[in-house]
Amino acid sequence: MAVEAIATARGIRTSAQKAGLVCELIRGKNVNQALATLQFTRKTIAREIAKVLRSAVANVQQQDAFSGDIDRLYVSAAYANQGPSAKRVRPAPMGRAYRVVKRTAHLTVQVAERPMKIAKVATEGDASAESKPARAKKTAVAKKATAKA
């Protein structure tokens, strides 16, 4: 059973499209690698996503089933959904008005623990298969050499 935790930040002042571009950068990466990527990403929203990622890591650490090894954690999901938009009116020439939409986003980061790699134990049936020499495949060079001879 894999240990996982989710952290969400709601109502962040950016569009979901802009935040989604940064979320794509960290999806599937190890937590330490994702934090390093966010630190050097030249987008303002990267700082907010880094906060959410740290919160998700803290949520995993609070669980009883967590092994304690942060190096095994990775970002299993990172996405940005659209939040409520604030509508404002801006004066325009000739008595008109332009509408300004101030968008918000809900940032969600899910962190999970990679399963441990367990070494396969050889059984007696496997030992007999290993004792047989493997047949080598003929390569193109070997085929030409046999054809000339």
Side-chain angles (χ1 to χ4, degrees):
M1 182 177 113
V3 179
E4 55 185 40
I6 297 175
T8 305
R10 295 172 56 86
I12 303 300
R13 260 301 272 123
T14 186
S15 70
Q17 186 177 8
K18 289 178 185 178
L21 293 172
V22 179
C23 287
E24 280 182 29
L25 295 175
I26 64 168
R27 201 174 295 131
K29 290 187 177 181
N30 289 335
V31 168
N32 293 329
Q33 190 178 3
L35 284 170
T37 302
L38 290 171
Q39 184 178 358
F40 294 106
T41 301
R42 295 183 59 184
K43 295 276 188 186
T44 309
I45 192 64
R47 279 185 238 136
E48 297 292 331
I49 294 175
K51 284 183 193 176
V52 178
L53 178 57
R54 286 190 193 96
S55 177
V57 171
N59 292 344
V60 166
Q61 289 175 334
Q62 294 300 315
Q63 294 183 6
D64 293 334
F66 180 58
S67 67
D69 189 9
I70 296 178
D71 294 332
R72 286 183 36 208
L73 293 178
Y74 73 102
V75 180
S76 59
Y79 53 89
N81 291 330
Q82 187 171 341
S85 299
K87 281 101 176 165
R88 300 289 181 262
V89 177
R90 186 172 155 256
M94 295 168 55
R96 294 191 186 91
Y98 291 149
R99 191 160 215 195
V100 177
V101 180
K102 299 191 175 204
R103 301 184 184 278
T104 61
H106 301 320
L107 308 177
T108 304
V109 176
Q110 182 175 3
V111 175
E113 190 175 24
R114 290 196 196 276
M116 290 186 74
K117 294 180 181 173
I118 300 171
K120 186 177 178 183
V121 179
T123 60
E124 290 181 27
D126 293 340
S128 63
E130 290 178 11
S131 63
K132 293 180 186 176
R135 279 183 55 185
K137 292 183 180 178
K138 286 190 177 181
T139 60
V141 177
K143 287 180 184 176
K144 286 181 182 177
T146 55
K148 288 182 180 178

